Amino acid sequence: MEKQGVYLGPRLRRLRRDLGLTQAEMAADLEISSSYVALMEGNQRPVTAETLLRLAKAYKIDFSEFADDSGRELVARMQAAIRDPILHDIEFGSLEIADVVHSFPAFAEALLRLHTAYKEEQFALADRRQHSSVPEDGTAGDPIASVRNFLAARRNFFPVLDAASEKLSLKIAETGSLPQYLKTRHGLKTRRLPPDVMTGSVRRLDWHRKELLLSEALDQSSQNFQMAQQLAYLEMEQEIQAVVDDGKFDNHNATRLAHRAIAGYAAAAILMPYASFAKAVETQKYDIDVLSRQFSVSFEQTAHRLTTLQKPGQERIPFFFIKVDVAGNVSKRLNGGAFPFARHGGGCPLWNVHGVFATPRKVVTQWLELPDGQRFFSIARTVHSGGGRHGLAPIDRGIAVVCDAGYADRLVYSKNHPQAGSPTPIGITCRLCHRIDCTSRSEPPIGRQILADTFRRPEAPFGFSDA
């Protein structure tokens, strides 16, 4: 016959968390099995008088107060949460709340954690609004975030620009080259000048002398891109402006940034026409180095273009693109896929895009797994900009293109990959990652309580509940 006792699951779990113990460690202290601790915490077994005595002896607690609590703290937290205005139209009975807490304590804790995260975000949003200001020129909000949202909502694919660019690319091919087309069609002579003569510019259109001036510090792929972008401004302004207008941006900075981004999209489409590029990526199994040489563009430009190949009937692998500096600041993010990257804050240090600076110009691949089980394949490398002559400081940044793991077998990079069966466990960002044993964590996740280290100091920077 089972010994008499009381059901104190939530209170027992709370005690264990406060002590910073795992179920196995508490079981060892109480000289019972860890499975029995789990059953008691789940209110599937009662806490007997003998177990209460062992708790009192092991942890120096007043078990009368412990037994009397009976989950009241968790019930009180649930009652406070359901008074939130967002739930004002839902009626909860006190018995319903108690039933949830005592019968499904883990579910109750999950709800409270989500509510805590929701409230923290609400407070952060209110704080941002309180401290934001609207400049006299009418700009407001975050223009970079507005443009990123605009591109992400359209999966970084603009069929009107691709169609116009493809026609323009054919005309350039018939003429012979970009410089020749600019001369024949627009009467513009292309000249390369020293950086000191360019006075801080890499490209400048001089209508008076009918010249397109390019900095000698640019390599050939960058020169090609600047010529293509200028050509987009000259011949595709109507299509570019129509795409930008569709964004309905509410400030001038966002409109200008979007215009530049869309012109860059058009330039890439001119250099890498959709049909021929989409065919080449399959033939070359997405080998970025080979593709960049084939189309006379840079590694980064090729990686950009991979995120745009979503034409109906001619879709290719949906990629996500990110560009970071050595400090982890994100300077560019393009989402043709569905990688859930954090909108704010730093990324996960376990993702090797943050480590490619140790191996410049070397392609580094990695299998990734998010806490929810989603798996991705990452291709990362450093890219070089600036410099070009003595005295000009070069800049290295890391870029990565990422796709869902289900597409990886179509990539040349995944063949015989040693990590295929053991992906690196990463989080979107520390604030959103609940991997409790991560030793690389820089801050606690939202909605989690930090345990005291009076009885136990974990290897990870913070201690949390294991449930």
Side-chain angles (χ1 to χ4, degrees), residues 117-179:
Y118 161 74
K119 295 301 292 183
E120 287 186 8
E121 181 59 28
Q122 290 296 305
F123 290 137
L125 179 60
D127 185 65
R128 289 196 294 270
R129 287 173 175 169
Q130 180 180 351
H131 293 90
S132 66
S133 60
V134 180
E136 294 181 359
D137 65 357
T139 61
D142 185 343
I144 293 178
S146 296
V147 175
R148 285 177 177 172
N149 292 340
F150 166 72
L151 296 174
R154 292 154 182 81
R155 301 189 69 188
N156 196 34
F157 170 60
F158 301 93
V160 172
L161 297 179
D162 276 306
S165 297
E166 201 145 20
K167 293 177 181 177
L168 184 51
S169 183
L170 289 173
K171 294 178 182 178
I172 295 169
E174 291 171 357
T175 306
S177 66
L178 270 167

Side-chain angles (χ1 to χ4, degrees), residues 160-222:
V160 172
L161 297 179
D162 276 306
S165 297
E166 201 145 20
K167 293 177 181 177
L168 184 51
S169 183
L170 289 173
K171 294 178 182 178
I172 295 169
E174 291 171 357
T175 306
S177 66
L178 270 167
Q180 186 60 44
Y181 183 83
L182 286 165
K183 179 66 175 176
T184 302
R185 177 70 175 83
H186 298 280
L188 292 171
K189 180 182 178 181
T190 303
R191 291 185 62 198
R192 293 165 178 76
L193 297 175
D196 52 347
V197 178
M198 292 294 290
T199 61
S201 300
V202 295
R203 169 178 51 82
R204 183 160 63 88
L205 181 60
D206 187 341
W207 274 121
H208 179 69
R209 293 184 173 84
K210 302 291 285 185
E211 292 179 336
L212 177 61
L213 308 177
L214 301 172
S215 172
E216 289 179 346
L218 296 176
D219 59 23
Q220 189 59 54
S221 62
S222 297

Side-chain angles (χ1 to χ4, degrees), residues 36 110 118 182 204-205 223 233 279 303 311 315 341 355 421-422:
Y36 194 78
Y118 161 74
L182 286 165
R204 183 160 63 88
L205 181 60
Q223 290 179 13
Y233 286 130
K279 180 180 179 181
K311 184 176 182 179
E315 299 95 338
F341 191 76
S422 55

Side-chain angles (χ1 to χ4, degrees), residues 8-38 40-41 47 51 54-56 58-59 61 66 455-456 466:
L8 304 173
R11 185 68 185 102
L12 181 62
R13 180 187 294 105
R14 181 73 179 183
L15 172 67
R16 179 173 59 78
R17 291 176 181 173
D18 290 343
L19 295 174
L21 300 173
T22 65
Q23 290 180 341
E25 289 167 337
M26 175 173 275
D29 292 341
L30 301 179
E31 298 180 349
I32 58 178
S33 69
S34 57
S35 61
Y36 194 78
V37 172
M40 288 191 296
E41 289 188 357
V47 180
T51 304
R54 292 183 181 184
L55 284 166
Y59 306 122
I61 62 172
F66 172 78
F455 285 83
R456 175 176 175 265
D466 63 349

